[in-house]
């Protein structure tokens, strides 16, 4: 609990006589979660306006309200602010007594690689006795307990409340562009900020690449004065970010690009700062150039935090991977199946090139598009798939309120190539590839990773992994029945 007047100092709001003895017992920005003694923060969202629920919040027990609109409330004090989302972030930080202040805080942003990089860093640090919390798109891991994640980057109220219960020394968090635009990490002070890459994605939300880049860049304004930026340089956006971070006086460790700290060559990392350039292995059980890139970033971060480079190398070599990221499965015929979260053209390129390098006889690529998301990237995704696979199988991903009929029409408009077939039911699409695959073939299933399906399909399965498990059991049962005949 905290006195309202003390809490308001977090957002530079001047207290009044009316607020002198008000005790706040909690915060909420959802009126349904308000309890007696809570401070309610009204946020103007994309779909609903919290100001419309102020009376509900008061009836549920709110003792004060923060909002952006000019209002005159009769029963409780109301304070107008320029941005309710920013206010919520600082109020939560104050109410939970700045729970990250004694922890090492690492933020990771980029179009691809955030999740894999976060798990690699966690693995390396924990191998040296650090206790690590992780906030990401797959799960939240806190005090060595795991729970499903609702968002890549949690709202600041949930985040600070959870961290306040953490005994972990290090907090590793994926920071999405949406989370940055919506001020979910406002007020945090990072020891390390990481940039993995930038390519076309989320332009349904950001409208153009410039806005998307600026969202990512904003994370680096939250670096402590003593903080460090780790930048993987793969294009002009990376070089621009490097220039920006240096201009605000923060340390940069750069991998590849102009005047790098480290260079990546095949599966090795070369320290460019030493007279006799040392070379380190970035090999893990995870295949592919993109995972070498992720490993290089994890390596640089861990060394920056004081772990010996050879120890980092050994820990990386022992990294076993994570669910839904180049996750391999065996087919009864001797084919290989890979499930990956890849959902951009560049990610497709990395995955499919890796598969081709394994001397794949035929490649069957199963993927779809998410409804109400950036449609401009779809043609390039298909182009890359057609270039590297023998058959492109278009199917459903998350429809996100787009009707099945509309999505089928969109797939038909794009999937006109002779190597492309359309099977809307995702489980049937995977089943088709399963039936086609023979020895030394590869099935590549992208887009969902380990995420659960949002639609119901013919097979009563809830994820790509479960679908493969079902098909494997069916094959085993068929084989047993055939042998008994």
């Amino acid at each position: 609990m905290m006195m309202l007047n003390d809490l308001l100092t977090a957002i530079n709001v001047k207290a009044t006589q009316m607020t002198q003895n008000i005790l706040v017992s909690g915060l909420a920005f959802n009126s349904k979660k308000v309890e007696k003694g809570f401070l309610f923060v009204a946020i103007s969202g994309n779909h609903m306006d919290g100001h419309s629920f102020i009376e509900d919040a008061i009836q549920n027990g709110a003792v004060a309200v923060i909002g952006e609109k000019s209002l005159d409330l009769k029963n409780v004090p109301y304070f107008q602010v320029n941005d309710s989302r920013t206010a919520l972030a600082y109020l939560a930080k104050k109410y939970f007594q700045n729970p990250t202040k004694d922890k090492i805080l690492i933020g990771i942003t980029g179009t691809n690689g955030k999740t894999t990089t976060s798990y690699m860093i966690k693995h390396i640090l924990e191998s040296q006795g650090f206790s690590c919390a992780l906030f990401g798109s797959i799960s939240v891991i806190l005090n060595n307990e795991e729970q499903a994640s609702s968002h890549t980057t949690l709202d600041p109220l949930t985040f600070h409340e959870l961290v306040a219960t953490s005994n972990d020394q290090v907090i590793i968090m994926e920071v999405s562009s949406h989370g940055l635009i919506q001020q979910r990490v406002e007020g945090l002070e990072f020891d390390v900020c990481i940039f993995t890459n930038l390519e076309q994605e989320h332009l349904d939300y950001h409208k153009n690449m410039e806005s998307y880049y600026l969202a990512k860049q904003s994370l680096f304004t939250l670096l402590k004065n003593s903080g460090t930026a780790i930048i993987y340089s793969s294009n002009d956006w990376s070089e621009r970010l490097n220039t920006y971070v240096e201009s605000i006086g923060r340390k940069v460790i750069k991998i590849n690009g102009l005047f790098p700290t480290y260079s990546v060559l095949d599966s090795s990392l070369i320290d460019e700062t030493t007279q006799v350039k040392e070379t380190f292995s970035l090999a893990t059980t995870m295949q592919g150039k993109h995972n070498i890139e992720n490993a290089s970033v994890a390596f640089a971060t861990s060394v920056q935090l004081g772990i010996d480079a050879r120890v980092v190398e050994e820990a990386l070599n022992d990294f076993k991977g994570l669910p839904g990221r180049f996750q391999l499965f065996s087919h009864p015929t001797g084919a290989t199946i890979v499930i990956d979260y890849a959902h951009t053209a560049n990610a497709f390129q990395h995955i499919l090139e890796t598969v081709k390098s394994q001397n794949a006889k035929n490649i069957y690529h199963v993927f779809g598009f998410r409804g109400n998301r950036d449609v401009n990237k779809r043609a390039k995704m298909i182009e890359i798939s057609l270039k590297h696979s023998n058959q492109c199988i278009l199917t459903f991903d998350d429809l996100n309120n787009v009707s099945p009929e509309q999505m089928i029409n969109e797939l038909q408009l794009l999937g006109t190539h002779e190597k492309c077939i359309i099977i809307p039911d995702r489980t049937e699409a995977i089943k088709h590839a399963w039936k086609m695959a023979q020895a030394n073939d590869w099935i590549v299933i992208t887009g969902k990773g380990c995420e659960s399906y949002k639609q119901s399909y013919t097979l009563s399965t809830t994820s790509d992994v479960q679908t493969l498990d079902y098909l494997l059991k069916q094959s085993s049962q068929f084989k047993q029945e055939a042998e008994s005949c």
Side-chain angles (χ1 to χ4, degrees), residues 50-269:
H51 297 81
S52 301
F53 299 93
I54 288 176
E55 288 304 321
D56 293 338
I58 294 172
Q59 289 181 13
N60 290 338
V63 292
V65 176
I66 304 286
E68 297 171 351
K69 298 182 178 179
S70 179
L71 300 173
D72 182 19
L73 302 184
K74 304 298 182 185
N75 301 322
V76 301
Y78 175 80
F79 301 95
Q80 186 178 3
V81 296
N82 292 327
D83 189 322
S84 292
R85 292 182 185 275
T86 300
L88 176 65
Y90 284 99
L91 289 166
K93 180 179 178 179
K94 176 79 172 180
Y95 186 81
F96 291 103
Q97 301 177 46
N98 191 13
T100 64
K101 64 180 180 296
D102 296 323
K103 302 181 186 299
I104 297 171
L105 187 58
I106 302 171
I108 307 172
T109 197
T111 305
N112 297 310
K114 296 187 294 296
T115 300
T116 300
T117 301
S118 68
Y119 274 83
M120 285 178 170
I121 293 170
K122 183 175 186 291
H123 170 77
I124 295 166
L125 296 183
E126 287 182 340
S127 75
Q128 296 308 298
F130 288 89
S131 57
C132 299
L134 189 147
F135 292 82
S137 55
I138 292 180
S139 59
V140 171
I141 303 173
L142 206 66
N143 299 324
N144 210 31
E145 294 185 1
E146 186 171 2
Q147 64 186 62
S149 179
S150 58
H151 293 83
T152 298
T153 309
L154 295 176
D155 68 82
L157 179 54
T158 304
F159 174 76
H160 282 95
E161 186 174 11
L162 287 173
V163 175
T165 69
S166 170
N167 299 316
D168 298 296
Q169 299 164 280
V170 182
I171 305 289
I172 306 167
M173 61 187 305
E174 296 180 45
V175 186
S176 67
S177 56
H178 290 68
L180 288 159
I181 291 292
Q182 295 170 12
Q183 286 83 45
R184 295 182 207 164
V185 294
E186 189 71 29
L188 296 181
E189 298 172 87
F190 289 89
D191 296 276
V192 179
C193 287
I194 297 167
F195 180 81
T196 58
N197 48 60
L198 192 76
E199 64 170 300
Q200 183 175 329
E201 175 73 326
H202 303 307
L203 297 194
D204 55 305
Y205 185 80
H206 296 288
K207 305 308 177 188
N208 55 63
M209 285 297 292
E210 177 69 12
S211 296
Y212 183 33
Y213 164 78
L214 290 174
K216 297 292 190 184
Q217 178 183 278
S218 67
L219 172 65
F220 295 81
T221 65
L222 303 178
L223 272 169
K224 294 177 179 177
N225 289 337
S226 59
T228 301
I230 311 288
I231 298 174
Y232 188 94
S233 182
S234 56
N235 54 31
D236 290 343
W237 298 113
S238 315
E239 294 298 324
R240 177 176 170 183
L241 180 63
N242 178 82
T243 300
Y244 171 77
V245 176
E246 288 182 340
S247 76
I248 61 174
R250 300 298 185 270
K251 179 180 178 181
V252 177
I253 293 175
K254 190 166 71 163
I255 303 163
N256 287 355
L258 300 173
F259 310 110
T261 312
Y262 299 101
S263 295
V264 176
L265 180 63
D266 298 325
S267 61
S268 297
L269 187 74

Side-chain angles (χ1 to χ4, degrees), residues 271-284:
D271 187 343
E272 300 286 357
T273 65
T274 55
Q275 189 170 2
V276 178
K277 296 179 180 179
E278 287 191 89
T279 301
F280 304 90
S281 170
L282 296 174
T284 72

Side-chain angles (χ1 to χ4, degrees), residues 412-427:
Q412 289 173 338
L413 289 172
L414 288 164
T416 56
H417 196 278
E418 59 182 10
K419 285 170 57 178
C420 201
I421 65 170
I422 298 168
I423 305 176
D425 186 305
R426 191 174 183 91
T427 60

